[in-house]
Amino acid sequence: MRPTTIVLNQRYKLLERIGSGGMSVVYKAQDVLLGRLVAVKMLHESFTGDPDFLRRFRQEAYAAANLTHPNIVTVHDIGQDGQRHYIVMEFVDGQTLKQMIRTYNQEDKVMPINQMLDLTIQICAGIGYAHRAQLVHCDVKPQNVLVTHDNRIKVADFGIARAMTEASTQIQDSRVWGTPQYFSPEQASGIQATPASDVYSIGVIMFEMLTGKLPFKAESQTALALKHIMDQPPPVSEFNPAVPYQLELITTKVLSKEPSGRYRTAGQLGRILSSYRENSLGETAVGTTATAAAAFTQVSGIPTSDQPTQIFIQPTGPTVEQKTIYAAGEAAAVTPQPAAQSEKDWMAIGLGLLAIIALLGLIPLWYFVYLAYSS
């Protein structure tokens, strides 16, 4: 479909349809005034009849237009042409994160951990910037995360997502629900989203990138909502034993049912992941081992030659033995080196000798005092 005859407000010439969702259709377009390519997101007509939704949509779009960050899709314009309500954004030449995950699944692979960390840290940088501007995304999902050809992240759909969560009851249908696979427990319960809600959604994306699967599946939206509210997600190592134990702990914390159990903002999560990546690179080499490869092959059925080659070799599961090993490793990391310990021992010996000499020097004084009192 090439709607080449449609020019919105005599400025945005629609070239081709490049995507669609429950709320809108996305077109590649040309700004004939400035002579540049843009992306035009046009709302479905079913939402244009609700003036309250349109008002909230415009307010949030204006707020999103003030977000200037390299990991957020820039909003250029918002407009209306008849019954067509649209947002004009920068055109990102690449693919969605969902498409990238599906490509790995089709090849029976999982995303390398290094790449997963890099993409997630960028997602946290963009959404964390919005959190500092008091804006909650409310619909973080891989379909709303664009990845350029050089692996730069661009988060999209701030305006639509926020307006959708506050939409009136007259249009509460399946599309208003959005994407329940990534909803936080509080959103599934109908409670207003907070920055911690976005953090939970990022956690679901992390789980999917690490395992190629979603933490919860159900036959209906209601059943899926109950799983988010009631059920504990499986550990990522159940599907991918190559995931380091520390990274699994971070993912588990991010998927906590209570918002207070998670990291408070996406920016905080991003700093945790950055610190983890730096420490892992400093403590362990990047590579694979026969043990990790064999374990991953046994669980996933993926041949060793097809497994990701860039992973951190760390304990892979929360067993008592592994916790003991990791604790011992931490103790070894803070144990002084033998040379330093030897220097401290000699210093202690020297101080002891000085103390003994001082005591011996007092003997003549004590003898003189004794003679004085005796006489």
Side-chain angles (χ1 to χ4, degrees):
M1 177 179 181
R2 298 180 60 84
T4 55
T5 58
I6 299 178
V7 180
L8 299 174
N9 290 326
Q10 299 181 347
R11 178 171 180 178
Y12 303 110
K13 182 179 180 181
L14 304 187
L15 302 177
E16 61 177 317
R17 177 173 172 171
I18 57 177
S20 63
M23 299 172 288
S24 60
V25 179
V26 183
Y27 296 94
K28 180 180 179 181
Q30 183 179 25
D31 184 341
V32 297
L33 181 61
L34 298 178
R36 64 180 176 183
L37 291 177
V38 294
V40 174
K41 185 179 290 288
M42 191 179 304
L43 288 178
H44 286 303
E45 292 183 1
S46 57
F47 297 113
T48 61
D50 187 332
D52 290 335
F53 170 78
L54 292 176
R55 175 179 53 81
R56 283 187 292 269
F57 168 69
R58 285 191 291 267
Q59 290 175 348
E60 294 300 330
Y62 292 145
N66 291 320
L67 297 176
T68 304
H69 191 275
N71 297 122
I72 296 178
V73 172
T74 302
V75 176
H76 296 313
D77 192 11
I78 180 174
Q80 176 182 358
D81 187 346
Q83 294 299 313
R84 302 186 181 101
H85 295 262
Y86 60 89
I87 297 178
V88 181
M89 305 172 295
E90 67 171 308
F91 177 73
V92 179
D93 188 12
Q95 62 180 332
T96 67
L97 181 56
K98 188 68 174 181
Q99 291 171 326
M100 178 178 289
I101 295 173
R102 286 173 178 168
T103 299
Y104 278 108
N105 289 345
Q106 291 169 359
E107 298 175 355
D108 292 329
K109 297 180 181 179
V110 291
M111 184 178 295
I113 292 178
N114 278 344
Q115 184 180 21
M116 170 266 167
L117 286 170
D118 178 61
L119 297 181
T120 306
I121 290 170
Q122 291 187 67
I123 294 171
C124 291
I127 297 179
Y129 179 82
H131 288 169
R132 293 192 294 274
Q134 308 301 315
L135 187 64
V136 182
H137 191 290
C138 302
D139 192 20
V140 180
K141 56 186 179 182
Q143 293 90 331
N144 285 338
V145 177
L146 305 177
V147 187
T148 65
H149 295 297
D150 57 351
N151 280 328
R152 288 185 297 110
I153 287 294
K154 295 280 189 176
V155 182
D157 275 5
F158 278 90
I160 291 181
R162 183 70 177 182
M164 288 301 298
T165 61
E166 301 176 357
S168 62
T169 56
Q170 284 79 8
I171 58 172
Q172 291 289 335
D173 56 17
S174 61
R175 285 172 297 180
V176 174
W177 178 272
T179 310
Q181 290 89 346
Y182 304 91
F183 268 17
S184 65
E186 56 271 23
Q187 288 176 281
S189 301
I191 301 174
Q192 186 175 3
T194 66
S197 305
D198 286 347
V199 170
Y200 182 94
S201 300
I202 296 174
V204 178
I205 297 176
M206 291 173 59
F207 189 102
E208 189 175 10
M209 286 192 287
L210 288 170
T211 66
K213 304 177 184 295
L214 290 167
F216 302 114
K217 291 184 179 180
E219 296 292 332
S220 65
Q221 296 174 354
T222 302
L224 188 56
L226 289 175
K227 285 182 176 292
H228 278 291
I229 296 170
M230 305 293 294
D231 294 356
Q232 292 297 325
V236 292
S237 59
E238 179 178 323
F239 304 105
N240 184 0
V243 175
Y245 177 51
Q246 299 94 316
L247 183 57
E248 182 175 66
L249 290 179
I250 295 174
T251 306
T252 301
K253 179 178 177 63
V254 171
L255 292 176
S256 297
K257 298 301 178 186
E258 293 295 330
S260 59
R262 309 169 204 145
Y263 301 108
R264 292 171 297 175
T265 65
Q268 185 182 17
L269 172 58
R271 290 190 294 272
I272 293 295
L273 292 175
S274 296
S275 177
Y276 165 77
R277 180 173 62 177
E278 292 172 3
N279 292 335
S280 297
L281 289 174
E283 295 173 2
T284 62
V286 179
T288 58
T289 65
T291 301
F296 185 72
T297 300
Q298 181 180 1
V299 174
S300 65
I302 300 175
T304 304
S305 60
D306 289 337
Q307 293 173 21
T309 57
Q310 290 187 325
I311 61 173
F312 299 110
I313 304 307
Q314 294 283 355
T316 57
T319 65
V320 174
E321 180 182 0
Q322 288 166 329
K323 289 180 181 179
T324 303
I325 293 173
Y326 180 61
E330 288 184 328
V334 299
T335 300
Q337 296 296 325
Q341 184 66 42
S342 178
E343 292 178 1
K344 292 182 179 179
D345 290 343
W346 280 111
M347 182 179 295
I349 293 172
L351 291 175
L353 291 174
L354 288 175
I356 292 173
I357 293 171
L359 288 173
L360 293 175
L362 292 174
I363 292 176
L365 177 62
W366 293 338
Y367 182 71
F368 175 78
V369 173
Y370 171 76
L371 293 177
Y373 276 98
S374 297
S375 62

